[in-house]
Amino acid sequence: MIDVPLNRFEELVAEALDTVPPDLAKVMDNVVVVVVDDPPEPGLLGLYTGIPLTERGEWYSGVLPDRIEIYRNPTLEICETEEDVVEEVQITVVHEIAHHFGINDERLHELGW
């Protein structure tokens, strides 16, 4: 297990977000990405909570933002180097953003994520 301070981990998440293609980033809507130390259940590296873009209709108004949580401690537990952390954060961020776009786990696995 590697130790990466919270502020550095947050930087890594921000860097991963910066790699999202601009055309996709500009259509992300009403979503916040946060770093949390521990997940609500073991084994999670990230979690998307909200209403995917593909399920929003005319009724969608005045709702709280969707939330993407990236879990620091479980990520650090499976990584040995900062390069491992960078890679795992990138994968987790892409995975959770895909859920925001309505892509489920099965499809993500088909796509190699």
Side-chain angles (χ1 to χ4, degrees), residues 73-112:
N73 288 333
T75 301
L76 298 180
E77 287 173 8
I78 65 169
C79 295
E80 295 182 15
T81 66
E82 187 165 315
E83 291 79 22
D84 293 341
V85 176
V86 169
E87 182 179 349
E88 200 59 56
V89 165
Q90 178 70 39
I91 291 167
T92 304
V93 166
V94 167
H95 186 98
E96 301 311 326
I97 287 173
H99 290 319
H100 177 67
F101 282 98
I103 301 170
N104 64 24
D105 283 332
E106 181 180 311
R107 181 65 179 138
L108 280 168
H109 291 295
E110 289 173 5
L111 296 170

Side-chain angles (χ1 to χ4, degrees), residues 27-41:
V27 295
M28 289 178 65
D29 182 48
N30 199 31
V31 61
V32 63
V33 179
V34 297
V35 171
V36 177
D37 276 338
D38 297 302
E41 60 184 72

Side-chain angles (χ1 to χ4, degrees), residues 44-90:
L44 292 178
L45 301 181
L47 181 66
Y48 168 77
T49 306
I51 302 167
L53 294 174
T54 54
E55 295 178 20
R56 297 178 185 179
E58 291 180 20
W59 56 268
Y60 185 84
S61 174
V63 298
L64 292 173
D66 291 4
R67 184 174 174 96
I68 292 174
E69 295 180 347
I70 307 298
Y71 301 115
R72 182 174 157 261
N73 288 333
T75 301
L76 298 180
E77 287 173 8
I78 65 169
C79 295
E80 295 182 15
T81 66
E82 187 165 315
E83 291 79 22
D84 293 341
V85 176
V86 169
E87 182 179 349
E88 200 59 56
V89 165
Q90 178 70 39

Side-chain angles (χ1 to χ4, degrees), residues 11-33:
E11 289 173 4
L12 296 177
V13 171
E15 290 170 9
L17 288 167
D18 287 343
T19 67
V20 175
D23 289 345
L24 289 179
K26 71 180 178 185
V27 295
M28 289 178 65
D29 182 48
N30 199 31
V31 61
V32 63
V33 179

